[in-house]
């Protein structure tokens, strides 16, 4: 499955994950590693090619990130993107300077010379729109390089050393704003690096099942089901791999969506015949969250309580050797991002750092190499019903972070009713599969209103809906005013406790797309 591998060395760009997505979309397995953890990967990872990402630092600064020296000595093709191009030039004998003539946003490059990087796309003399984001710029090329494209403020917008198969672009081919950027990346991976593009989800399924069997042996595995896509796919994959060695536990925290528990139990007990414990821990979770308002404290309390419950259930079945969970590749990326990054806060609800020492269990994480949309593809490959595979993501902490401030049973019930109406109207409008995630939020704000002949003092409900491909970036969904007016009227009329509805139109950069 991973005979052809592309290593992406991360210098901190907020869109590095998109490079990996574009490479995988072309059928090639790729992994991201921070620049300061890339030493020795020429042998242990054995990449067919290396891509150097962009980043926020300045190559001209003291102590700023550099690529490991093996990258330029391993004899494999290298593509530097933005900062990656600049550090490649600086490390190989070229020169980079700060410039007052910066480029941010859309730009036009002019191709000066034919190159395998542009083959089938652009010829000498042709122009192409691209997306730029740089302040520094290359002012002198290293020996062996030539310029293959320029822009107004980037005299070396694309460069190449064809003999060593080293390439650099000042623009970002991974973003949608560079229309044919994905094709350029494919030229690099397929034409220049010679990758075959045979990485498929069917191959991943077979390989991962074999890996699980090898890791688990005859041990017992306990899997926490949340009702979401990730844990459902993990459970079905593990059941296919190890059968009755798997014990699933669904923990009802009291903060689930309406009807969640019944859906999970029906699917896994009756459809798949997978051993399942249905633990109602509503009192336990809400008791621990009583009086807690800080969202980060909520996450930590819920995560710790989940572990406690799993421990208890593992003892009841005679112990378990492994704990399975749906850690995804974005969780892993964020958790190892260099210089700390935002990952500690963003991904604090995932146990990517391991389990508490007191637990005598090892982790099984069969999805940790996949992006969210790839998990959906795997779910379909495994035969999961579309109602589970296509459902909107649901956060581990559940409604706890969709009720900002203190959580009460009353607030949770109000929110569930509003959420059901919102999603019902989205489905009626035929928009559910177009939207990545939609949900209601019960704001910690009460407003005075008049309903009929009565004055009310009730909560404000916020509605959020976003579009996304892989869950790393998101933009709000542009509902019509008619739709928003209709759904707002239904919520106010049918849900006691809400007298005002607002729509959240913020977008999100890479990181969490939740609302808190």
């Amino acid at each position: 499955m991973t005979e052809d591998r592309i290593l992406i060395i991360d210098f901190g760009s907020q869109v590095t994950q998109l490079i990996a997505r574009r490479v995988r979309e072309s059928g090639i397995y790729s992994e991201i590693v921070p620049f300061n953890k890339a030493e020795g990967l020429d042998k242990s990872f054995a990449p067919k090619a290396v891509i150097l990402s962009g980043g926020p630092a300045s190559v001209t600064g003291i102590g700023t990130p550099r690529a490991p020296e093996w990258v330029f000595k391993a004899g494999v093709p290298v593509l530097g993107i933005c900062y990656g191009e600049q550090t490649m030039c600086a490390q190989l004998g070229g020169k980079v300077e700060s410039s007052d003539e910066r480029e941010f946003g859309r730009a036009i490059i002019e191709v000066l010379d034919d190159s395998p990087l542009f083959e089938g796309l652009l010829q000498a003399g042709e122009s192409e729109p691209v997306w730029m984001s740089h302040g520094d710029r290359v002012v002198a090329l290293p020996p062996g390089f030539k310029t293959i494209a320029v822009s107004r403020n980037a005299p070396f917008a694309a460069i190449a050393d064809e003999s060593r198969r080293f390439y650099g672009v000042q623009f970002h081919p991974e973003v949608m704003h560079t229309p044919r950027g994905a094709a350029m990346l494919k030229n690099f991976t397929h034409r220049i690096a010679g990758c075959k593009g045979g990485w498929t989800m069917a191959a991943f399924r077979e390989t991962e099942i074999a890996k699980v069997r090898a890791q688990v042996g005859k041990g017992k595995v306990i899997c926490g089901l949340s009702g979401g896509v990730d844990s459902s796919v993990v459970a079905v994959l593990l059941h296919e791999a190890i059968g009755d060695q798997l014990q699933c536990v669904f923990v009802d925290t009291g903060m689930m969506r309406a009807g969640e528990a019944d859906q999970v139990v029906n699917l896994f007990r009756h459809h798949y015949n997978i051993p399942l414990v249905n633990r109602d821990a509503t009192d336990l979770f809400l008791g621990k969250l009583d009086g807690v308002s800080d969202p980060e404290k909520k996450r930590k309390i819920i995560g710790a309580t989940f572990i406690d419950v799993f421990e208890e259930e593992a003892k009841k079945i005679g112990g378990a050797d492994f704990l399975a969970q749906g850690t995804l590749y974005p969780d892993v990326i964020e958790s190892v991002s260099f210089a700390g990054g935002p990952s500690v806060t963003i991904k604090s609800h995932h146990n990517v750092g391991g389990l508490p020492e007191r637990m005598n269990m090892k982790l099984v994480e069969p999805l940790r190499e996949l992006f969210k949309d790839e998990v959906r593809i795997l779910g379909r490959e495994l035969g999961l019903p579309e109602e589970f595979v296509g459902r909107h993501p649901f956060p581990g902490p559940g409604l706890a972070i969709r009720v900002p401030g203190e959580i009460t049973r009353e607030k949770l019930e109000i929110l569930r009713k509003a959420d059901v109406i919102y999603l019902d109207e989205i489905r009626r409008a035929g928009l559910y599969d177009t939207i990545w995630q939609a949900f209601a939020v019960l704001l910690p704000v009460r407003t005075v209103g008049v309903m009929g002949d009565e004055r009310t003092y009730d909560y404000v409900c916020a509605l959020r809906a976003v579009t996304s491909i892989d869950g790393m970036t998101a933009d709000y969904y542009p509902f019509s005013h008619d739709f928003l007016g209709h759904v707002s009227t239904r919520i106010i009329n049918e849900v006691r406790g809400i007298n005002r509805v607002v729509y959240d139109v913020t977008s999100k950069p890479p990181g969490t797309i939740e609302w808190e």
Side-chain angles (χ1 to χ4, degrees), residues 309-346:
V309 173
F310 292 148
E311 273 191 295
E312 292 175 14
E313 296 303 327
K315 290 176 182 177
K316 291 178 183 178
I317 64 172
D321 306 288
F322 299 89
L323 173 64
Q325 60 183 34
T327 304
L328 302 189
Y329 196 44
D331 308 328
V332 177
I333 294 169
E334 293 288 354
S335 299
V336 298
S337 61
F338 81 89
S343 60
V344 174
T345 299
I346 291 175

Side-chain angles (χ1 to χ4, degrees), residues 386 390 392 426 430-436:
E386 192 61 32
H392 292 177
I426 287 174
L431 299 174
Y432 189 84
D433 293 334
T434 303
I435 295 169
W436 168 268

Side-chain angles (χ1 to χ4, degrees), residues 274-316:
I274 296 176
L276 174 66
V277 172
N278 181 11
R279 169 75 178 273
D280 186 349
T282 299
D283 293 340
L284 175 63
F285 278 86
L286 294 185
K288 288 181 176 290
L289 290 167
D290 186 32
V292 178
S293 298
D294 181 82
E296 204 55 34
K297 288 182 180 179
K298 290 180 187 177
R299 289 184 181 276
K300 290 178 180 178
I301 289 170
I302 292 169
T305 307
F306 264 120
I307 293 294
D308 291 341
V309 173
F310 292 148
E311 273 191 295
E312 292 175 14
E313 296 303 327
K315 290 176 182 177
K316 291 178 183 178

Side-chain angles (χ1 to χ4, degrees), residues 289-418:
L289 290 167
D290 186 32
V292 178
S293 298
D294 181 82
E296 204 55 34
K297 288 182 180 179
K298 290 180 187 177
R299 289 184 181 276
K300 290 178 180 178
I301 289 170
I302 292 169
T305 307
F306 264 120
I307 293 294
D308 291 341
V309 173
F310 292 148
E311 273 191 295
E312 292 175 14
E313 296 303 327
K315 290 176 182 177
K316 291 178 183 178
I317 64 172
D321 306 288
F322 299 89
L323 173 64
Q325 60 183 34
T327 304
L328 302 189
Y329 196 44
D331 308 328
V332 177
I333 294 169
E334 293 288 354
S335 299
V336 298
S337 61
F338 81 89
S343 60
V344 174
T345 299
I346 291 175
K347 298 297 177 185
S348 59
H349 59 296
H350 290 281
N351 297 312
V352 288
L355 297 172
E357 291 184 7
R358 71 174 188 276
M359 294 186 71
N360 191 26
M361 284 190 278
K362 298 177 181 178
L363 283 175
V364 178
E365 300 173 307
L367 307 184
R368 66 182 286 120
E369 296 175 353
L370 300 183
F371 286 89
K372 188 77 172 188
D373 54 319
E374 293 173 324
V375 174
R376 297 187 195 279
I377 297 172
L378 177 59
R380 294 184 179 99
E381 177 74 26
L382 290 165
L384 267 164
E386 192 61 32
E387 65 179 287
F388 272 83
V389 176
R391 72 194 316 182
H392 292 177
F394 189 59
L399 300 182
I401 56 171
R402 295 179 182 176
V403 178
E406 186 177 354
I407 299 169
T408 66
R409 293 173 190 264
E410 178 197 21
K411 289 180 180 179
L412 290 170
E413 192 56 31
I414 291 172
L415 178 58
R416 280 194 194 93
K417 291 178 180 178

